[in-house]
Amino acid sequence: QVQLVQSGAEVRNPGASVKVSCKTSGFTFSKYYMHWVRQAPGQGLEWIGWINPYIGTTNYSQTFQGRVTMTRDTSVSEVYMELTSLRSDDTAFYYCARLLTPDYYFDSWGQGTLVTVSS
Amino acid sequence: SYELTQPPSVSVSPGQTARITCSGDVLPKQYAYWYQKKAGQAPVLVIYKDTERPSGIPERFSGSSSGTTVTLTVSGVQAEDEADYYCLTADSSGSLYVFGSGTKVTVL
């Protein structure tokens, strides 16, 4: 069955970077765009961007342009989301999600990774 | 950039109907998707492509679309439907996505 397993919780100081991983299994890794979404405490869902695992192309929300980088390692079927110049308002749960085509919805989600930014 | 606007909250008694709207200029051109989000859980898709219901989602969930507004309707609301609901769509190129501001549904 489809599984998305994310890395564990992280704590960072303001200004630092964090890299969250999402290990996939149960499907052909290269065939599905992978997206990242976050939710800060008491806030709504926020779309961050996507990566095409087949060729590695990416597209990011303007909100995160210049601070986010999504990559993948096809040898281990993992995608990664790195966020730099962290601020306290980056404290949030970060989720990876698989985009199912042709209906274009997120059908599987990771369990979420809590990133806490605090000095 | 573009935005999707939802009411912050909707309150409904058990067995009644909850209607949650989502408005945005891109909606006549792009499909909307609805996700249910409960604390500590990953989002769950309840409606896709404006009106389609995924397998496993109760029939009391339905979607509709009219112009720049899409609506999620929960008929015969149950206590377990208490959650936050978010609409989602993509821009005209289908490359950039945005969530609505979210609506908290409270079952009285």
Side-chain angles (χ1 to χ4, degrees):
Chain A
Q1 73 281 22
V2 174
Q3 283 194 306
L4 307 178
V5 180
Q6 298 183 219
S7 48
E10 303 272 13
V11 179
R12 294 286 186 274
N13 291 323
S17 300
V18 69
K19 191 172 185 177
V20 180
S21 67
C22 172
K23 183 168 181 59
T24 74
S25 61
F27 63 97
T28 304
F29 176 70
S30 61
K31 287 191 173 182
Y32 297 85
Y33 282 47
M34 295 298 294
H35 291 238
W36 289 88
V37 173
R38 78 176 186 181
Q39 185 174 37
Q43 303 300 308
L45 297 175
E46 188 172 23
W47 179 78
I48 301 172
W50 55 253
I51 181 168
N52 175 346
Y54 182 62
I55 53 176
T57 51
T58 57
N59 208 350
Y60 307 133
S61 165
Q62 196 169 359
T63 301
F64 299 94
Q65 280 281 1
R67 287 206 304 139
V68 68
T69 303
M70 295 178 186
T71 55
R72 92 291 192 211
D73 185 339
T74 57
S75 68
V76 292
S77 300
E78 285 192 17
V79 294
Y80 309 92
M81 190 279 305
E82 183 175 24
L83 192 61
T84 63
S85 302
L86 289 169
R87 310 183 289 255
S88 58
D89 61 0
D90 290 318
T91 295
F93 277 94
Y94 290 77
Y95 295 93
C96 60
R98 186 181 82 157
L99 185 72
L100 187 69
T101 55
D103 292 322
Y104 294 98
Y105 61 79
F106 304 135
D107 70 326
S108 297
W109 295 74
Q111 82 275 21
T113 296
L114 177 60
V115 174
T116 302
V117 183
S118 173
S119 55
Chain B
S1 65
Y2 57 100
E3 294 181 352
L4 297 177
T5 301
Q6 298 181 232
S9 62
V10 167
S11 298
V12 62
S13 299
Q16 299 303 302
T17 297
R19 293 182 180 85
I20 306 161
T21 58
C22 172
S23 299
D25 291 339
V26 73
L27 292 177
K29 301 183 273 298
Q30 292 287 5
Y31 285 121
Y33 300 76
W34 288 96
Y35 290 87
Q36 178 192 69
K37 179 71 169 68
K38 295 181 178 180
Q41 300 180 20
V44 173
L45 179 78
V46 294
I47 293 290
Y48 67 100
K49 287 187 170 180
D50 291 348
T51 61
E52 302 297 315
R53 189 175 56 250
S55 61
I57 298 301
E59 290 184 10
R60 63 180 181 273
F61 289 88
S62 63
S64 61
S65 176
S66 179
T68 60
T69 299
V70 294
T71 302
L72 172 68
T73 300
V74 187
S75 305
V77 165
Q78 300 183 6
E80 68 200 51
D81 300 330
E82 185 163 284
D84 296 324
Y85 291 83
Y86 296 87
C87 56
L88 171 73
T89 193
D91 69 349
S92 54
S93 71
S95 293
L96 298 174
Y97 289 66
V98 69
F99 282 99
S101 44
T103 299
K104 181 176 183 59
V105 171
T106 300
V107 181
L108 301 171

